[in-house]
Amino acid sequence: MTPPKELSSKEQLLSLVEANPFIGQQELADQLGLSRSAVAGHLGQLTREGRILGRAYVLPQRQPIVCIGGTNLDRKLRAVGPLRMGSSNPAQQHESAGGVARNIAENLARLGLPVHLLTAVGRDAAGQTLLTQLQGLGVDCAGCLQAADAATGSYTAVLDPDGELVLALAHMELTDRLDPAFLRQTAPQRAPARWLVADLNLPRETLDELRAEARLRDQRLLLVAVSEPKMARLGTDLRGVELLVLNRGELQALSGQVLPDDAALRAAWRSLHDAGLQRLVMSDGAAGLRFSEGDDLVLLPPPRLNPASIREVTGAGDALTAGIAAALHRDPDDLRGACALGLQLAALTLQSDATVSEALSPALLV
């Protein structure tokens, strides 16, 4: 049997830089047993080869939040009268950009935060428009996958006259291409991040690798659920997950049981914590949300809204997650305050026809 080939000094150096993009040349030299000039030579060669993009000296407040997951075109059809199944129903149509990771990235950008999106779109008019819109808001889209052989994903929501979701159809196969190979290609884009926000549209193998990566690096991983069927992608080992955001139905799907009362919810949270999850936020409809505090799930009610001001619900959950991520980016220990900001952003989105409210601004973070 041929013995395994030892890594060259340059490859060993690259591994150290991938694990810690802020590492200094002298520290590299000490760990590799090389001179500092030799380290500088290897770094220069790796930069010329395009395998590293330069030093990652980023001020803490400017470390980006990296969002990875789905981007698609949202089509919302709102019935103008009572819905009749099996029949044609008059409706109003609204079309906008969508996708959980994309929506969260736009919310964060409108709040004035540095954000980088890693997603997959088709090399079609819809895909190019979606990326151009984000770049215009200041979202860094370098590293996004643009497929020439597939159409950009779509999400079609059927709403009742009050704006409540009746049925949604998602065409999101492109997101399956955000696989571990894609993660390896985009390692330089993720390396500077303080927080990584990933949605469960991602393949299970990708989520497994993100959790393993988070355990090895000083990086916080926030996972956000997208639907009950896709909870199976999460797996059972939750070590490396700093925060999971979901709703009651998704928590029931994850736990495999109905959760009718507070005692059942607490038991489900303790089970997830035992599996390695650090913190949990569960949105609970009109009741607000529950966030983990010790062994308990604390209820936080939403802001009061005039029912007549509510337009529809699409995007409110993504705004909630974005608000939580934005606040934790500033103060990672204040989950209660983060949830309060998330509820505020969700309330603004409920009062907008758009998936992401244009009322968002950096002033909300003051």
Side-chain angles (χ1 to χ4, degrees):
M1 179 180 294
T2 304
K5 185 178 179 180
E6 291 187 4
L7 291 176
S8 67
S9 296
K10 186 175 73 173
E11 297 298 326
Q12 292 178 48
L13 183 148
L14 180 61
S15 296
L16 291 173
V17 171
E18 287 177 341
N20 178 11
F22 303 93
I23 193 169
Q25 288 191 15
Q26 188 59 55
E27 187 177 354
L28 287 167
D30 293 343
Q31 291 194 36
L32 295 172
L34 299 173
S35 67
R36 186 162 178 169
S37 60
V39 166
H42 284 323
L43 289 171
Q45 186 176 356
L46 289 166
T47 301
R48 289 191 294 273
E49 292 172 357
R51 301 174 71 186
I52 61 175
L53 303 180
R55 293 298 307 279
Y57 290 123
V58 183
L59 293 174
Q61 66 269 27
R62 297 308 300 170
Q63 282 182 265
I65 301 173
V66 174
C67 302
I68 176 169
T71 290
N72 51 258
L73 196 63
D74 274 358
R75 296 183 180 90
K76 290 173 278 190
L77 299 169
R78 182 168 178 165
V80 298
L83 281 165
R84 297 188 299 274
M85 306 307 289
S87 179
S88 176
N89 291 268
Q92 297 172 336
Q93 177 172 310
H94 182 81
E95 193 171 279
S96 63
V100 173
R102 194 223 71 87
N103 291 347
I104 294 170
E106 182 181 342
N107 275 279
L108 292 169
R110 289 186 180 277
L111 292 172
L113 294 172
V115 57
H116 195 132
L117 176 67
L118 295 172
T119 190
V121 297
R123 198 169 292 165
D124 49 20
Q128 301 313 299
T129 298
L130 289 168
L131 293 185
T132 299
Q133 288 175 343
L134 287 170
Q135 290 165 341
L137 291 168
V139 178
D140 190 341
C141 296
C144 288
L145 188 155
Q146 299 181 56
D149 61 340
T152 297
S154 65
Y155 172 86
T156 301
V158 178
L159 310 172
D160 67 17
D162 296 323
E164 292 291 333
L165 180 66
V166 176
L167 176 70
L169 300 172
H171 178 255
M172 298 292 295
E173 284 83 353
L174 254 183
T175 315
D176 290 336
R177 301 192 188 185
L178 303 180
D179 55 17
F182 176 80
L183 287 184
R184 290 190 288 274
Q185 293 167 6
T186 56
Q189 283 79 24
R190 297 195 318 282
R194 177 185 295 181
W195 281 89
L196 185 70
V197 180
D199 71 39
L200 296 192
N201 283 310
L202 295 171
R204 179 165 179 169
E205 296 78 11
T206 303
L207 294 166
D208 290 343
E209 190 152 324
L210 288 173
R211 288 198 303 272
E213 189 177 273
R215 293 197 298 268
L216 291 173
R217 299 181 177 181
D218 185 19
Q219 195 171 60
R220 299 174 185 268
L221 177 61
L222 188 163
L223 296 183
V224 53
V226 297
S227 68
E228 293 179 26
K230 289 187 177 179
M231 293 310 301
R233 297 189 175 193
L234 187 55
T236 57
D237 183 359
L238 301 181
R239 291 175 299 158
V241 183
E242 174 70 24
L243 177 63
L244 174 63
V245 180
L246 40 54
N247 62 32
R248 183 184 287 261
E250 290 157 349
L251 182 56
Q252 290 180 156
L254 183 60
S255 64
Q257 55 187 325
V258 177
L259 305 172
D261 53 34
D262 290 351
L265 288 172
R266 285 194 296 271
W269 153 236
R270 286 194 292 268
S271 177
L272 294 177
H273 187 58
D274 290 343
L277 178 64
Q278 294 301 303
R279 294 185 282 184
L280 176 72
V281 171
M282 185 199 79
S283 60
D284 206 12
L289 60 75
R290 297 172 186 267
F291 66 94
S292 58
E293 190 172 84
D295 288 336
D296 291 327
L297 285 178
V298 179
L299 179 64
L300 192 63
R304 289 188 176 182
L305 293 178
N306 181 347
S309 71
I310 298 176
R311 299 298 301 164
E312 48 104 346
V313 300
T314 306
D318 301 332
L320 171 71
T321 301
I324 292 170
L328 292 178
H329 180 68
R330 183 171 52 184
D331 183 355
D333 297 323
D334 185 11
L335 184 56
R336 176 185 290 271
C339 289
L341 179 62
L343 287 171
Q344 183 182 0
L345 266 59
L348 289 172
T349 305
L350 287 170
Q351 299 172 84
S352 170
D353 285 318
T355 303
V356 177
S357 172
E358 295 183 0
L360 271 58
S361 75
L364 293 169
L365 298 180
V366 175

